[in-house]
DNA sequence: CTAGTTGATAACCCATAGGCATTATATATT
DNA sequence: AATATATAATGCCTATGGGTTATCAACTAG
């Protein structure tokens, strides 16, 4: 009785919540299973809340435990970041902004931002990580990221979207393809070709847009390959395995045996959005957002 | 060495940061001053950051300490809030209930429930999904739903049924049909008409009930169309393609070229049931069930 | 110079986190 | 039905380290 919750309890709780197995969690924590069991029990006693259901042969989280895990995840990430920042404040190099991005943001938006920020706010450092849309959303909610660059139209309530770059779409063809700038009139001219697209789990919004471009012209594309990297897609096109549709700006920086034809007269646009948590606590984020 | 930061360190840190006085802070914490001094020193060693300036006769925060205090204040408030919420989740006064329903439940039962629940349990959120009977049963068993609204008489053992709304049946006729409130005596008057019904795979119980209504009156209806949406059925009736039998309350909310005549002197009733898993683990479900 | 602050240091004490051995219970196997 | 194997919980013990008191060192005020 009269015990106090300590960080230890939360570390242990997270380990068990992730492993859903006391012995494995204990191994990961480098302590014995009985010790772990006892600490978790103590935690439940202090909180007066059942966190785990030890049922039959498996352990699972209660609703309360599920809720707590999500919050503790966030709190720990925020705490880690805070402690790192505290040290930076001491050394005077205050300010780190953790940025996640889709590869396509590296074409222009992100480099522009970094150059501008470096010029005017030299004390703010950046850590960059290439991540898929969904991974960025999760990382933002857990406070593992401060800012994301995504292609999504709908995000959770507590996140804020802002369009930062609107792009047209271009058709990617092998060098020797009969279509060129003068005789290319519309996407329906390649309706019988095989298509190579970005994976829908990498960016479902992008995937749907491509499909709608084709459907507006009255055909459903035959998709033979999917990839997450522009380079791979270009390589596949170059090899004659099909054609692709990509945001126009993606062609920058690639020298390959393919040609790009901007698709005329379509309403679809590839929109890149900046994304951040509305109540983000990082003071370095605001000045960065002002550049967008 | 090799120590770990614990919540205690942060509690102590906050006390000193507020009092700016070790003895007073120690008093407030009900520990001795030397103990406090040692814990703060340990904290600074672990973080490798100087948090306080002990200068001459007064204590003050370093820049790093000031930053840390602000963040730890926030983190502790958030943690307190989280722990309180966790307890609420356990008691079921906070949480999410996932509800599946037949379109016809939206006429009165479900809106009533939601209004009542929102009034008395504003912290419980709902996610709603329109699903057929069988889909709801499957979703309930998979724990993708907490509560369903179905028209079924028999369900698997581990599910619980409860009647929540009993309705009479009405005949749906085109506006110009010769039958009306005064000359309508029984369903046998339309025994030769074509019938439009809900699909039996959408609700087999409903389908069987309709058939039994007719069979009780000595005829088997000629079913020419089936649909899953009330709106579609009304449209088909309006177009003169047949007549329909529906639960009386379904007419609410539709303005169409059809008329409704309640069928007198029949024992059949359209019963809407609430359905849930007996050993559902969601604590938010119980208080909702109490409203039924 | 003395009295009265302040926080830091030293040496001891004991509460308790964690280890080991074991039990209790459920599932899988024979 | 009996046995084997897996799980988490329980009981007892040890030793780490947080908290104690006593003291020191440094500063200020009178």
């Amino acid at each position: 009785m009269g015990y106090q919750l300590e960080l230890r309890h939360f570390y242990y709780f997270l380990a068990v919540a992730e492993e859903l197995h006391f012995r494995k969690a204990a191994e990961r924590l480098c302590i014995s299973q009985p010790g772990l069991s006892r600490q978790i029990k103590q935690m439940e006693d202090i909180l007066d809340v059942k966190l785990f259901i030890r049922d039959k042969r498996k352990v699972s989280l209660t609703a309360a435990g599920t809720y707590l895990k999500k919050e503790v995840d966030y709190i720990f990430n925020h705490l880690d970041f805070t402690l790192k920042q505290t040290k930076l404040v001491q050394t005077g190099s205050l300010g780190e902004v953790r940025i996640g991005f889709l590869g396509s943001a590296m074409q222009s938006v992100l480099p522009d931002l970094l150059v501008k920020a470096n010029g005017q706010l030299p004390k703010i450092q950046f850590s960059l990580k290439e991540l898929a849309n969904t991974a960025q959303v999760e990382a933002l909610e857990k406070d593992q990221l401060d800012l994301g660059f995504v292609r999504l139209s709908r995000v959770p309530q507590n996140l804020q979207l802002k369009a930062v770059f609107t792009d047209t779409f271009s058709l990617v063809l092998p060098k020797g393809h009969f279509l060129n700038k003068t005789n290319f009139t519309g996407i329906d001219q390649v309706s019988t070709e095989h298509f190579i697209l970005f994976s829908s789990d990498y960016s479902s919004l992008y995937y749907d847009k491509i499909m709608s471009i084709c459907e507006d012209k009255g055909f459903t594309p035959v998709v033979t390959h999917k990839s997450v990297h522009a380079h791979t897609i270009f390589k596949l096109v170059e090899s004659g395995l099909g054609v692709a549709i990509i945001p126009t700006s993606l062609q920058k920086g690639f020298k390959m045996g393919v040609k790009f034809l901007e698709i005329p007269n379509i309403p679809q646009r590839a929109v890149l959005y900046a994304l951040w948590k509305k109540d983000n606590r990082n003071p370095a984020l605001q000045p960065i957002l002002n550049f967008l």
Side-chain angles (χ1 to χ4, degrees), chain A residues 17 50 92 136 157 186 196 212 249 280:
Chain A
K50 262 245 165 314
Q136 288 189 55
Q157 261 288 305
I196 301 157
S212 81
S249 68
N280 184 295

Side-chain angles (χ1 to χ4, degrees), chain A residues 8-222:
Chain A
R8 161 176 31 92
H9 291 109
F10 292 101
Y11 286 125
Y12 293 179
F13 165 71
L14 276 194
V16 178
E18 276 163 29
E19 301 283 348
L20 291 176
H21 197 289
F22 277 75
R23 188 176 52 73
K24 286 178 193 163
E27 254 171 49
R28 202 170 95 181
L29 295 165
C30 299
I31 63 169
S32 68
Q33 172 267 312
L36 177 59
S37 280
R38 225 167 77 238
Q39 288 297 308
I40 295 292
K41 178 159 192 343
Q42 194 184 63
M43 184 174 181
E44 291 179 323
D45 287 344
I46 296 171
L47 290 176
D48 192 28
V49 171
K50 262 245 165 314
L51 298 172
F52 295 100
I53 302 164
R54 291 85 153 170
D55 202 56
K56 300 172 181 177
R57 301 254 291 177
K58 69 173 184 236
V59 174
S60 54
L61 282 161
T62 62
T66 307
Y67 171 82
L68 185 62
K69 177 184 183 315
K70 190 182 155 216
E71 292 303 311
V72 172
D73 263 338
Y74 163 77
I75 290 172
F76 272 9
N77 279 310
H78 187 64
L79 185 60
D80 283 350
F81 180 71
T82 295
L83 298 184
K84 248 188 251 144
Q85 288 285 79
T86 302
K87 199 162 182 186
L88 290 183
V89 172
Q90 170 162 272
T91 62
S93 58
L94 168 64
E96 183 193 0
V97 177
R98 301 158 298 173
I99 298 180
F101 61 97
L102 295 175
S104 58
M106 256 309 171
Q107 294 308 322
S108 58
V109 174
L110 201 41
D112 285 357
L113 175 69
L114 296 181
V115 167
K116 249 192 282 183
N118 249 315
Q120 297 187 33
L121 301 165
K123 286 194 172 172
I124 294 188
Q125 298 187 330
F126 297 94
S127 85
L128 297 167
K129 205 169 190 179
E130 184 169 351
L131 290 169
N133 285 315
T134 50
Q136 288 189 55
V137 169
E138 282 166 26
L140 283 164
E141 290 202 307
K142 282 185 193 170
D143 196 34
Q144 290 174 338
L145 279 187
D146 296 306
L147 183 59
F149 287 92
V150 298
R151 298 183 192 277
L152 287 170
S153 50
R154 273 188 301 189
V155 295
Q157 261 288 305
N158 53 335
L159 300 184
Q160 177 73 50
L161 269 181
K162 182 181 180 179
V164 290
F165 187 67
T166 303
D167 201 2
T168 56
F169 284 99
S170 282
L171 184 64
V172 189
L173 299 170
K175 262 272 152 57
H177 196 277
F178 78 93
L179 280 175
N180 56 45
K181 264 178 195 162
T182 53
N183 65 11
F184 178 54
T185 57
I187 192 72
D188 45 316
Q189 291 175 289
V190 292
S191 62
T192 58
E193 305 260 2
H194 288 182
F195 276 74
I196 301 157
L197 300 184
F198 282 99
S199 302
S200 58
D201 50 312
Y202 182 66
S203 175
S204 65
L205 180 65
Y206 161 81
Y207 193 85
D208 294 343
K209 279 253 171 79
I210 304 290
M211 297 306 270
S212 81
I213 290 173
C214 296
E215 274 155 16
D216 286 355
K217 298 295 175 184
F219 70 97
T220 304
V222 180

